């Protein structure tokens, strides 16, 4: 951490104000990307950073609303370092704004260490392999796309789908199968969300008693959109503090990452940058990576940082740059489906495009159940075949199908109604039992992803005979 | 060395006023932290540089120091087993888990050295002057490619530090130069060779669908395009662990930190079957993850290929695996955008195509300067946006590679791995490696058949996959039940081919890699199955009865159930299969089981 130097102040240097960009005459020694506080005549302090600097000029990118600023009376302060966030024990239980200032009427945050909000890249060599299976109670996740501590696993959702409810359900149930852990903490970052969404999360956490173990960062839809660029970073800095300084297992829920990306597009546009796809800047991938890559485990440190970002896919399009680039960075994705939601399936998880890349490290012998990976793979194979048969049936009618295909269609329907849909949280064992039942309805000879022993152990007793 | 003074800074782009001459491409250092950069543009007394590190805090007035040479890396034996960032600075042994910008020193290691030349010997460029015991590999100390002369001093055999002088050479011009275990080389310049050779042997990947259907030759080049989650990284990691190259250079370019950490841990834990030592001793990892500075991502690919060429020049076969070349292209785009260059398609600079061409051109099988044979095989993943192969990086790459391994999201969703789409993928190296494969077949029990069995079987498999796609389309129109018996049999055969041959889990203890012999055996037994199936049909069996044979399950689980080298198991399986079909013929000949639309060949 660079030492604090006396605050430099510059009054009357403002020359031009254009969108979020403030052009100043350079009268002080400041470096690129250093933090800036811009104070208007209204006394409001707005955060910003140095976006470009040359001998004469200084371009400041305002990360909070410029409304109310004028040129002659604006004062700019330079702390002489990149943006930092001061944190200390006692941050849990607090509700903060998008840049970490108390919203709950409580005292200022206690500060025992100051961390750079951009973080520094974590050395891959220092990373520990995430492999502690987290039971979320959601079958589509636990059984089919397991989540492990230190993973970044986003929910790919869309307007009107119950992603918030799923996130709350996961936050409420998430537990390790072995130990009780009281070192669990939740960091919630609301990025450009509606007031009622924020309220929903706050009351849900309160009702489940998790609020004292949580810290909320709220940038609401009505707040400055440029501030959205900071909210995930402040939240992750707090999460890193909780995980790697206090040694807790932190689950970070960030919603809505699409709003974050749109804010980035807005700022890039104001800077006059050449856009890549759909107006988003070419560095959207790197920028998102600088957020998502902050999940993980560090060798020799007790805590972990798990991310559950939520993003809404514009027009339900998974090829849109935001879900597309996110999927390239995160360690899998849980995709929600509108048609399952319409059919009344809760949680409406479309397992086919869903994936957990770290599942292989946290499941199977010694982690969950020795047969867990093979079971998941077999379910995938069978459900994919069901989806294919369903497609075929839609064109040629069910009569045009082979017997086998009809059996798969039935399997697909039961899979959605009995395995994906659930009223209560399930343990992994309950999920697995339900899944073996379903597979027993298929001919044993076709279960090529299962070994003979697995069939003998789980399928044959349920099918009431020896598999072919 | 020239100096300059920083005028302005924005992101990785720095402008400075020069106090002396700077060259295009010259490496430089900025400020007290010594941030590394490279000159990308010169205009009057102003230079523009791209910096390879986080530029937070750089300000006008900061001193810029030219290094008087292009971006160079040190090449030597101690690269093996290490992990480096995009500029080849070591990543292990750092104090903090977080990477701060600035200089880092290469740790010095010791190796046992044995001279190969005596005082007075003339030496040519690229010639080995000593041997090093590199653990898993027998390595050479090379005279740098542009140096020649006469040895005037050389140390005796012994253990030496890898940075100390081991020999001196007098050039024809009369100057003396020091030789050490390693030397520096500019990363953007391909290392010279005596000549390039045609390819002939395959780089065995251990993946059946690649080796058999879409092989890549030693010295070849392959691209792996696929949307997110289709299996690019897992495939490259599987290759890193089991391909037949002597040295593996793995470049993690703009991808995940956890994947790099996992690969590193696995390489250290795996025992190399060739040497009995950790596999990591034959591997170099270059990691510039997505959250590390973007400009260094661009350099990391060049560093990787330069390392590959260095080991090639010692007469080794080297595979460079790059994940992902798209992130490298994006780094080009980002820096280009900051320089205010005219954007081309998709915002990429107009020179994207030529940069890709230059990169893939560095793949080759060669006669080295020293007269030995070595090769560099380039394998790069491509991450097209929204999985659309018509985007600029994929479409340019397609023009320069010889093997194209297209990954298909639908297969990946069904957890059918590797999710190679056999209809979109291709290989131009198949003809070159056919003879090599025929030798494998000839060595199987029963010997080789007429002609080239591999070529025949491979063609059959490809035709079967084509037919499957065609019939699938047809079924979508007329319904599956309207298909004729031979057509239904074709679909069945294709399914068995898929499950029993193409599918191969990278996480299966038995099947994560498949040796050449087992591949040949599996291919052969599949061919027998196809023959028996057709024959059964002509004698009146119907495809559904064939589908019901218990032996089919065995056939589809060969990958899991039969190990490399287990010839007996294949013989047993073949016998069981022949018996099942014989029994089937016996039954269908006597019963009325044959369906009405079965060919009435049962009469014949
Ligand atoms: N060959 C394979 N065998 C088994 N599983 C695989 C294979 N390839 C991919 N997978 C599965 O798919 C997931 C995504 O693969 P990955 O290589 O990370 O995709 P990409 O790099 O294309 O985004 C992996 O985490 C793994 O679970
Ligand atoms: Mg990948």
């Amino acid at each position: 951490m660079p030492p604090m130097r006396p605050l430099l102040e510059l009054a009357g240097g403002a020359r031009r104000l254009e969108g979020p960009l403030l052009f100043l005459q350079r009268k002080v020694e400041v470096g690129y990307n250093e933090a800036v506080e811009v104070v208007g005549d209204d006394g409001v302090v707005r955060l910003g950073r140095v976006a470009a600097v040359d001998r004469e000029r200084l371009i400041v990118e305002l990360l909070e609303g410029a409304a109310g600023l004028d040129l002659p009376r604006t004062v700019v302060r330079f702390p002489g370092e990149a943006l930092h966030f001061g944190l200390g024990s006692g941050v849990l239980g607090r509700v903060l704004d998008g840049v970490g200032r108390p919203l709950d009427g409580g005292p200022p945050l206690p500060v025992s260490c100051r961390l750079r909000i951009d973080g520094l890249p974590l050395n891959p060599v220092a990373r520990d392999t995430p492999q502690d299976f987290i039971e979320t109670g959601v079958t589509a996740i636990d059984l089919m796309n397991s989540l492990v501590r230190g993973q970044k696993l986003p929910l790919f959702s869309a307007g009107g789908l119950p992603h918030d409810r799923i996130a709350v359900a996961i936050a409420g149930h998430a537990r390790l199968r072995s130990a009780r852990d009281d070192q669990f903490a939740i960091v919630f970052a609301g990025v450009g969300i509606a007031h009622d969404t924020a309220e929903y999360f706050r009351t849900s956490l309160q009702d489940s008693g998790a609020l004292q173990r949580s810290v909320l960062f709220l940038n609401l839809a009505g707040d400055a959109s440029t501030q959205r660029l900071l909210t995930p970073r402040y939240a992750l800095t707090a999460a890193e503090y909780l995980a790697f300084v206090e040694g807790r297992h932190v689950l970070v829920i960030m919603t809505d990452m699409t709003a974050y990306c749109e804010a980035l597009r807005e700022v890039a546009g104001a800077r006059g940058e050449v856009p890549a796809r759909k107006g988003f800047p070419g560095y959207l991938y790197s920028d998102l990576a600088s957020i998502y890559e902050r999940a993980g485990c560090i060798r020799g440190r007790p805590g972990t940082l798990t991310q559950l970002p939520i993003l809404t896919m514009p027009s339900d399009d998974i090829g849109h740059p935001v879900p597309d680039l996110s999927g390239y960075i995160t360690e899998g994705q849980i995709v929600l489906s509108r048609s399952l939601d319409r059919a009344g399936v809760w949680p409406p998880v479309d397992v086919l495009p869903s994936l957990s890349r770290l599942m292989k490290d946290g499941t199977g012998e010694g982690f969950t159940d020795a047969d867990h990976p093979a079971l998941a793979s077999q379910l995938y194979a069978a459900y994919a075949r069901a989806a294919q048969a369903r497609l075929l049936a839609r064109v040629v009618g069910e009569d045009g199908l082979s017997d086998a295909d009809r059996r798969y269609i039935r399997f697909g329907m039961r899979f959605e109604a009995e395995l994906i849909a659930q009223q209560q949280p399930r343990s992994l064992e309950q999920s697995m039992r339900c899944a073996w039942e379903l597979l027993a309805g298929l001919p044993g000879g076709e279960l090529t992803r299962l070994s003979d022993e697995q069939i003998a152990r789980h399928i044959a007793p349920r099918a009431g005979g020896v598999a072919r | 060395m020239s100096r300059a003074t920083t005028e302005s800074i924005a992101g990785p782009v720095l402008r400075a006023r020069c106090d002396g001459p700077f060259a295009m491409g010259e490496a430089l250092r900025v400020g007290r932290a010594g941030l590394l950069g490279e000159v990308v543009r010169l205009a009057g007394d102003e230079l523009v540089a791209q910096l390879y590190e986080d530029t937070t805090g750089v300000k006008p007035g900061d001193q810029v120091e030219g290094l008087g040479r292009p971006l160079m890396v040190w090449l030597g034996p101690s690269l093996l087993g290490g992990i480096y960032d995009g500029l080849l600075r070591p990543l292990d042994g750092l104090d903090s888990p977080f990477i701060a910008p600035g200089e880092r020193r290469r740790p010095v290691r010791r190796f046992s050295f044995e001279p190969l030349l005596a005082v007075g010997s003339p030496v040519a460029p690229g010639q080995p002057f000593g041997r090093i015991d590199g653990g898993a590999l027998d390595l050479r100390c090379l005279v740098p490619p542009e140096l020649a002369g006469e040895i005037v001093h050389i140390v005796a055999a012994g253990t030496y530090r890898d940075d100390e002088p081991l020999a001196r050479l007098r050039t024809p011009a009369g100057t003396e130069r020091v030789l050490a275990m390693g030397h520096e080389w500019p990363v953007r310049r391909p290392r010279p060779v005596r000549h390039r050779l045609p390819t002939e042997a395959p780089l065995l990947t251990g993946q059946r669908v690649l080796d058999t259907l879409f092989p890549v030759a030693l010295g070849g080049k392959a691209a792996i395009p696929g949307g997110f989650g289709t299996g690019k990284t897992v495939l490259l990691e599987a290759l890193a662990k089991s391909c037949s190259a002597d040295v593996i250079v793995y470049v993690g370019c703009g991808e995940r930190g956890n994947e790099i950490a996992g690969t590193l841990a696995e390489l250290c834990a795996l025992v190399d079957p060739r040497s009995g030592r950790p596999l990591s001793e034959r591997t170099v990892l270059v990691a510039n993850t997505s959250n590390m500075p973007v400009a260094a991502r661009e350099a990391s690919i060049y560093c990787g290929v330069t390392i590959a060429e260095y080991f090639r020049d010692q007469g080794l076969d080297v595979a460079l695996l790059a994940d992902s070349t798209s992130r490298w292209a994006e780094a080009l785009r980002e820096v280009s955008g900051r320089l205010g260059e005219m954007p081309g398609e998709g915002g990429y600079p107009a020179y994207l195509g030529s940069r890709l061409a230059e990169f893939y051109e560095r793949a080759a099988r060669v006669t080295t300067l020293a007269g030995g044979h070595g090769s560099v095989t380039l394998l790069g993943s491509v991450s097209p946006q929204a999985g659309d192969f018509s985007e600029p990086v994929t479409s340019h790459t397609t023009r320069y590679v010889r093997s194209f391994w297209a990954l298909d999201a639908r297969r990946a969703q069904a957890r059918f791995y590797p999710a190679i789409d056999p209809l979109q993928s291709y290989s131009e190296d198949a003809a070159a490696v056919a003879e090599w494969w025929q030798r494998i077949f000839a060595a199987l029990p029963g010997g080789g058949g007429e002609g080239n069995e591999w070529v025949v079987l491979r063609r059959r498999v490809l035709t079967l996959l084509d037919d499957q796609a065609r019939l699938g389309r047809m079924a979508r129109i007329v319904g599956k039940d309207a298909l004729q018996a031979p057509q239904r049999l074709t679909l069945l055969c294709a399914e068995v081919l898929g499950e029993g041959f193409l599918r191969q889990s990278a996480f299966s203890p038995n099947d994560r890699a498949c040796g050449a012999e087992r591949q040949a055996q599996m291919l052969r037994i599949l061919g027998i199955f196809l023959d028996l199936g057709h024959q059964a049909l002509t004698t009146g069996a119907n495809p559904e009865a064939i589908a019901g044979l218990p032996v089919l399950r065995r056939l589809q689980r060969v990958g899991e159930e039969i190990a490399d080298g287990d010839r007996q198991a294949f013989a047993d399986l073949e016998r069981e299969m022949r018996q099942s079909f014989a029994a089937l013929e016996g039954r269908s000949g006597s019963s009325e089981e044959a369906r009405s639309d079965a060919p009435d060949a049962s009469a014949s």
Side-chain angles (χ1 to χ4, degrees):
Chain A
M1 204 188 312
M4 285 271 277
R5 80 161 180 221
L7 211 63
L8 285 176
E9 231 182 59
L10 179 67
R15 287 290 169 270
R16 195 146 59 94
L17 192 52
E18 235 178 70
L21 300 184
L22 174 64
F23 296 77
L24 299 157
Q25 206 177 350
R26 190 178 82 100
K27 294 185 192 157
V28 288
E29 285 282 296
V30 288
Y32 171 73
N33 202 32
E34 286 183 357
V36 177
E37 288 173 11
V38 181
V39 193
D41 193 38
D42 51 8
V44 177
V45 178
R46 299 160 178 87
L47 292 179
R49 66 181 160 213
V50 177
V53 50
D54 61 25
R55 284 205 174 270
E56 281 87 45
R57 275 185 333 161
L58 192 65
I59 304 177
V60 166
E61 183 174 293
L62 282 167
L63 296 160
E64 299 188 77
L69 288 181
D70 62 24
L71 294 179
R73 284 175 299 180
T74 292
V75 175
V76 186
R77 298 192 207 131
F78 301 93
E81 58 176 17
L83 277 171
H84 277 63
F85 186 17
L87 287 150
S89 65
V91 64
L92 287 178
R94 300 299 302 270
V95 181
L96 310 170
D97 75 357
V99 291
R101 295 174 293 219
L103 275 183
D104 50 8
L109 291 182
V111 177
S112 62
C113 65
R114 298 177 65 256
L115 299 171
R116 188 174 152 177
I117 67 150
D118 281 330
L120 283 172
L122 181 54
N123 187 344
V125 177
R127 282 184 187 267
D128 213 353
T129 314
Q131 52 184 19
D132 293 334
F133 175 84
I134 300 178
E135 191 174 270
T136 65
V138 177
T139 300
I141 296 177
D142 294 347
L143 178 59
M144 311 278 293
N145 296 287
S146 315
L147 172 69
V148 297
R149 268 184 181 167
Q151 183 171 12
K152 38 191 181 287
L153 187 64
L155 287 179
F156 281 15
S157 187
L161 293 180
H163 40 265
D164 296 337
R165 194 177 148 205
I166 297 176
V168 164
I170 293 174
H173 186 89
R175 61 177 184 98
L176 284 195
R177 284 152 51 82
S178 48
R180 267 260 342 111
D181 63 286
D182 32 42
Q183 291 300 347
F184 184 61
I186 297 171
V187 172
F188 175 82
V191 184
I193 54 171
H195 176 79
D196 19 318
T197 310
E199 235 353 70
Y200 172 74
F201 274 98
R202 203 187 57 76
T203 50
S204 307
L205 289 173
Q206 193 163 32
D207 293 347
S208 68
L211 200 59
Q212 308 93 279
R213 293 186 288 140
S214 310
V215 47
L216 278 64
F217 290 82
L218 300 180
N219 165 281
L220 300 184
D223 293 336
S225 63
T226 38
Q227 194 195 64
R228 282 169 207 158
L229 301 186
L230 295 179
T231 306
R233 296 191 161 85
Y234 272 90
L236 284 166
T237 306
E240 282 169 352
Y241 165 78
L242 290 167
F244 303 128
V245 179
E246 291 197 356
R248 296 176 195 276
H249 298 290
V250 186
L251 177 69
V252 183
I253 300 173
M254 296 187 285
T255 181
D256 171 354
M257 290 307 287
T258 305
Y260 171 86
C261 296
E262 281 164 354
L264 191 67
R265 173 168 65 184
E266 203 177 311
V267 172
R271 287 191 198 145
E273 290 171 349
V274 180
R277 206 163 36 123
K278 297 218 161 149
F280 289 97
Y283 51 80
L284 180 60
Y285 174 85
S286 300
D287 189 279
L288 282 173
S290 73
I291 293 176
Y292 294 141
E293 275 290 309
R294 290 171 80 170
C297 314
I298 301 181
R299 204 173 302 147
R301 301 214 184 172
T304 58
L305 199 165
T306 310
Q307 285 186 18
L308 191 74
I310 300 173
L311 58 87
T312 46
M313 301 182 281
S315 345
D316 293 7
D317 175 16
I318 198 170
H320 182 278
V322 175
D324 190 45
L325 294 178
S326 295
Y328 272 120
I329 303 164
T330 54
E331 283 144 350
Q333 64 279 337
I334 302 297
V335 183
L336 303 189
S337 142
R338 199 171 292 284
S339 67
L340 285 179
D341 186 52
R342 282 210 192 99
V345 172
W346 193 90
V349 177
D350 187 357
V351 294
L352 286 182
S354 299
L355 171 70
S356 164
R357 295 165 188 263
L358 302 188
M359 178 169 181
K360 59 179 191 300
D361 300 321
T363 57
E365 184 87 66
F367 298 99
T368 54
D369 184 297
D371 297 332
H372 179 180
L375 172 58
S377 174
Q378 182 63 66
L379 286 169
Y380 263 105
Y383 186 57
R385 176 121 188 233
Q388 238 176 28
R390 199 180 281 175
L391 208 67
L392 195 63
R394 220 171 286 154
V395 186
V396 298
E398 264 205 48
D399 298 340
L401 298 184
S402 63
D403 285 345
D405 284 340
R406 274 193 288 272
R407 243 187 345 250
Y408 275 100
I409 288 191
R410 269 200 305 283
F411 168 82
M413 287 183 334
R414 287 189 60 195
F415 179 86
E416 287 161 9
E418 297 171 29
L419 192 69
I420 296 303
Q422 58 187 107
Q423 260 69 55
Q424 303 286 322
R426 291 193 191 118
S427 69
L428 178 66
E429 285 69 25
Q430 288 171 325
S431 296
M432 286 184 70
R433 224 172 295 135
C434 176
W436 291 122
E437 290 290 341
L438 288 187
L439 286 179
L442 292 173
E446 291 194 4
L447 303 178
T448 52
R449 309 267 174 113
L450 302 178
S451 69
D452 291 358
E453 299 76 55
Q454 285 162 339
I455 290 184
R457 214 170 20 244
H458 303 289
I459 303 289
R462 294 181 160 89
V466 180
R468 240 186 18 205
Chain B
M1 247 64 80
S2 308
R3 294 186 163 276
T5 312
T6 304
E7 285 286 312
S8 73
I9 176 82
V13 173
L14 172 137
R15 287 166 205 274
R17 194 147 308 279
C18 310
D19 282 342
F22 275 83
M24 192 68 175
E26 182 169 342
L28 45 78
R29 291 198 173 277
V30 178
R32 246 184 299 151
L35 305 183
L36 197 59
E38 189 179 1
V39 178
V40 292
R41 191 183 285 169
L42 291 164
D45 64 350
E46 194 199 61
L47 69 79
V48 181
Q50 65 169 337
L51 299 192
Y52 290 118
E53 303 185 68
D54 180 10
T55 52
T56 297
V58 174
K59 36 183 176 311
D62 281 356
Q63 281 301 302
V64 177
E65 184 198 351
L67 301 183
R69 53 175 179 76
L71 182 67
M72 313 258 276
V73 290
W74 185 87
L75 301 168
S78 67
L79 287 173
L80 289 170
I83 175 165
Y84 309 89
D85 73 3
L87 299 170
L88 229 55
R89 294 176 299 191
L91 283 175
D92 40 14
L94 307 190
D95 298 333
S96 160
F98 297 96
I99 308 170
E103 257 178 291
R104 287 199 299 278
R105 296 212 64 75
R106 183 177 70 81
V108 171
R109 280 173 54 188
R110 300 169 75 84
F111 291 89
S112 84
F113 170 85
E114 184 191 315
L116 291 174
L117 298 174
V119 170
S121 317
V123 281
Q127 191 178 336
F129 64 89
R131 282 187 51 199
I132 312 169
D133 177 12
L137 292 168
D138 182 23
L139 298 172
R140 298 281 177 272
C141 298
L142 302 179
V143 175
E146 281 160 353
L147 219 50
E150 184 190 318
I151 296 286
V152 293
H153 168 78
I154 191 157
V155 297
T159 302
Y160 296 92
R161 288 155 47 112
D162 67 1
D163 63 343
E164 68 185 307
L166 298 176
R168 278 199 316 278
L169 134 175
R170 188 178 306 117
T171 64
T175 53
E176 284 204 3
R177 302 287 293 268
V178 166
L179 301 178
M181 276 184 206
H183 58 259
E184 294 207 309
W185 186 260
V187 296
R188 298 192 193 275
R189 222 170 86 219
R191 287 170 64 89
V193 298
R194 198 176 286 174
H195 26 246
R196 296 169 77 104
L197 297 169
T199 57
E200 51 180 37
L203 172 84
L204 277 189
T205 64
Q207 302 291 313
R208 288 184 289 272
V209 61
L210 301 184
D211 292 338
T212 296
L213 296 188
F214 311 109
V216 62
L218 286 172
K221 37 203 169 179
I224 312 177
F228 61 80
T230 50
K232 301 178 293 295
T233 303
V234 172
L235 194 60
L236 283 177
E237 287 171 352
L239 263 52
K241 285 179 244 166
S242 52
C243 82
S244 62
D246 300 314
V247 172
I248 315 290
V249 182
Y250 190 97
V251 184
C253 177
E255 293 283 315
R256 302 178 184 84
N258 272 333
E259 289 174 348
I260 298 288
T263 306
L264 180 66
E266 274 189 277
L267 290 174
C268 293
L270 281 176
V271 174
D272 180 2
R274 294 193 198 179
S275 64
R277 308 180 62 108
L279 199 54
S280 54
E281 289 188 6
R282 291 201 282 123
T283 314
V284 183
L285 273 177
V286 179
N288 208 82
T289 55
S290 56
N291 56 343
M292 284 156 78
V294 167
R297 213 185 276 171
E298 191 260 344
S300 67
I301 291 272
Y302 292 103
C303 288
V305 69
T306 304
I307 298 171
E309 288 175 346
Y310 164 72
F311 287 108
R312 170 202 70 191
D313 291 347
Q314 308 192 18
L316 299 168
D317 290 319
V318 187
L320 174 103
L321 317 178
D323 187 23
S324 146
T325 58
S326 293
R327 305 299 163 223
W328 168 76
E330 286 166 9
L332 276 188
R333 174 172 70 185
E334 186 169 339
V335 174
S336 156
R338 302 256 189 189
L339 292 173
E341 290 173 348
M342 180 75 145
E345 206 184 342
Y348 290 100
Y351 47 79
L352 171 68
S354 53
R355 290 287 169 87
L356 278 166
E358 277 165 30
F359 168 66
Y360 281 110
E361 196 55 20
R362 290 174 81 165
R365 198 169 81 88
V366 304
T367 303
T368 64
L369 290 179
H373 287 178
S375 66
V376 170
T377 310
L378 294 183
L379 310 167
S381 72
V382 187
S383 318
Q385 50 201 20
D388 171 13
F389 290 0
S390 67
E391 59 90 41
V393 183
T394 320
S395 55
H396 280 298
T397 303
T398 316
R399 289 165 43 212
Y400 306 121
V401 296
R402 293 179 58 84
S403 303
F404 189 74
W405 301 333
L407 295 176
D408 166 35
R410 283 247 313 284
R411 284 171 183 255
Q413 293 191 351
R415 304 305 192 251
F416 186 103
Y417 297 115
I420 306 276
D421 180 345
L423 301 179
Q424 275 201 69
S425 303
Y426 58 79
S427 162
E428 297 176 49
D429 287 344
V433 303
E435 215 170 294
W436 186 94
W437 272 105
Q438 179 51 20
R439 287 200 291 277
I440 298 288
F441 275 88
L444 290 184
E450 289 285 291
N452 189 319
E453 195 177 346
W454 183 73
V455 170
V456 173
L457 284 170
R458 177 173 179 269
R459 195 171 306 134
R460 268 182 98 171
V461 166
L462 288 173
T463 312
L464 181 57
L465 289 164
D466 257 337
D467 290 346
Q468 179 190 32
R470 193 171 41 76
L471 291 173
R473 280 195 298 275
M474 201 158 115
R476 247 168 277 147
I477 299 164
V478 301
K480 259 192 189 163
D481 60 345
L483 296 182
Q484 304 291 301
Q487 297 172 327
R488 297 203 307 276
L489 178 67
T490 300
L491 287 181
L492 173 67
C493 291
E495 212 172 291
V496 172
L497 165 74
E499 277 295 317
F501 189 83
L502 302 182
R503 192 166 78 76
Q504 185 178 355
S505 169
F507 309 126
S508 154
N510 187 56
D511 212 22
R512 60 166 64 117
C514 187
E517 180 184 293
R518 185 156 67 106
Q519 295 196 29
Q521 281 168 312
M522 287 174 73
L523 198 56
R524 189 181 262 185
I525 206 153
L526 209 77
I528 297 173
F529 167 71
L530 298 184
D531 291 340
L532 290 173
H534 285 290
Q535 203 179 317
L537 213 59
T538 56
T539 57
N542 71 41
E544 288 66 35
I546 299 176
L549 292 176
V551 73
L552 248 64
R553 181 173 155 83
R554 295 276 78 79
L555 200 55
Q556 295 183 71
R557 287 186 55 83
V558 169
E560 289 295 328
E561 293 176 353
I562 303 186
D564 272 6
D566 189 351
R567 293 185 165 187
Q568 188 57 46
F570 278 102
D572 293 345
L573 180 60
E574 183 180 336
R575 186 158 20 79
E576 188 188 342
M577 195 161 69
R578 289 191 187 279
Q579 282 166 358
S580 304
F581 272 96
L584 185 70
E585 274 172 41
R587 258 188 321 192
S588 58
S590 56
S591 77
E592 294 306 304
E593 219 178 299
R595 285 181 32 165
S596 53
D597 56 1
D600 41 13
S602 51
S604 68

